[in-house]
Amino acid sequence: MKQIGTWLSEYDESHRNKTNKLIHWICVPLIFFSVTGFLYSIKLPYQLNDAIQLNVGFVAMLLVFFYYALLSWRLSIGMLLFGMFCLHCCNWIEVNVAISLLQVCLFIFVFAWIGQFYGHKIEGKKPSFLKDIQFLLIGPAWLMHFIYQKIGIRL
């Protein structure tokens, strides 16, 4: 398995243009959230508490956390916090928004991917996930590592 530094360096190779980076700061978290929302919408036959039924989003977030933990335990903490925030937002949307979570996530997903491909058109390089599907999980980690650098946390 590749080390986190190798993954981040490879991802960085096709994300050097300032506009593409800005687009990624917006669109990558939106895509992560929308996929979380799609999975959150698939309910499992177990109740977590009176308000929340177990769903595939929780299970997937746990698996994603372990993937990140294999790469960097420090990074996995930040990604877990972001994942929990996404799950919380999914629950809030289900309870408080008139349209379905699936509809919200579909709109966000399409909008964000259009942005991503536009950013790569500006960059002049193909998205990294076309090389290796794991880059779909490296993108959010790439952003988190910049946050860590800013606040002085080493991976």
Side-chain angles (χ1 to χ4, degrees):
M1 180 177 223
K2 292 182 192 177
Q3 300 292 315
I4 187 63
T6 303
W7 280 114
L8 296 175
S9 293
E10 284 184 38
Y11 192 84
D12 196 58
E13 289 173 13
S14 60
H15 301 87
R16 300 198 179 196
N17 178 280
K18 197 183 257 189
T19 303
N20 188 31
K21 282 184 181 181
L22 175 61
I23 289 169
H24 275 63
W25 274 100
I26 297 164
C27 293
V28 167
L30 289 175
I31 291 168
F32 190 96
F33 168 76
S34 64
V35 171
T36 300
F38 291 143
L39 297 174
Y40 190 95
S41 298
I42 304 169
K43 304 301 183 196
L44 298 173
Y46 302 101
Q47 199 73 21
L48 292 178
N49 61 34
D50 291 339
I52 300 175
Q53 184 174 355
L54 185 63
N55 59 68
V56 176
F58 285 116
V59 175
M61 201 58 66
L62 186 62
L63 295 172
V64 167
F65 168 74
F66 285 121
Y67 173 79
Y68 288 129
L70 289 172
L71 295 174
S72 163
W73 69 269
R74 286 186 178 113
L75 184 66
S76 71
I77 301 300
M79 294 308 301
L80 177 64
L81 292 173
F82 179 65
M84 290 171 54
F85 174 75
C86 289
L87 291 169
H88 173 75
C89 290
C90 289
N91 183 62
W92 187 88
I93 289 169
E94 269 194 347
V95 171
N96 297 298
V97 177
I99 60 175
S100 75
L101 177 61
L102 280 174
Q103 290 172 314
V104 171
C105 289
L106 182 60
F107 173 79
I108 291 170
F109 186 82
V110 169
F111 167 79
W113 274 111
I114 290 169
Q116 288 288 89
F117 283 109
Y118 177 72
H120 279 285
K121 180 178 167 102
I122 292 169
E123 180 84 41
K125 295 186 179 173
K126 293 180 182 177
S128 300
F129 77 88
L130 295 175
K131 177 181 169 187
D132 188 329
I133 195 91
Q134 290 182 76
F135 280 113
L136 290 173
L137 289 173
I138 298 302
W142 181 72
L143 296 175
M144 187 63 70
H145 109 276
F146 286 117
I147 294 169
Y148 276 29
Q149 282 180 335
K150 188 79 169 168
I151 59 178
I153 299 174
R154 291 179 16 169
L155 296 181

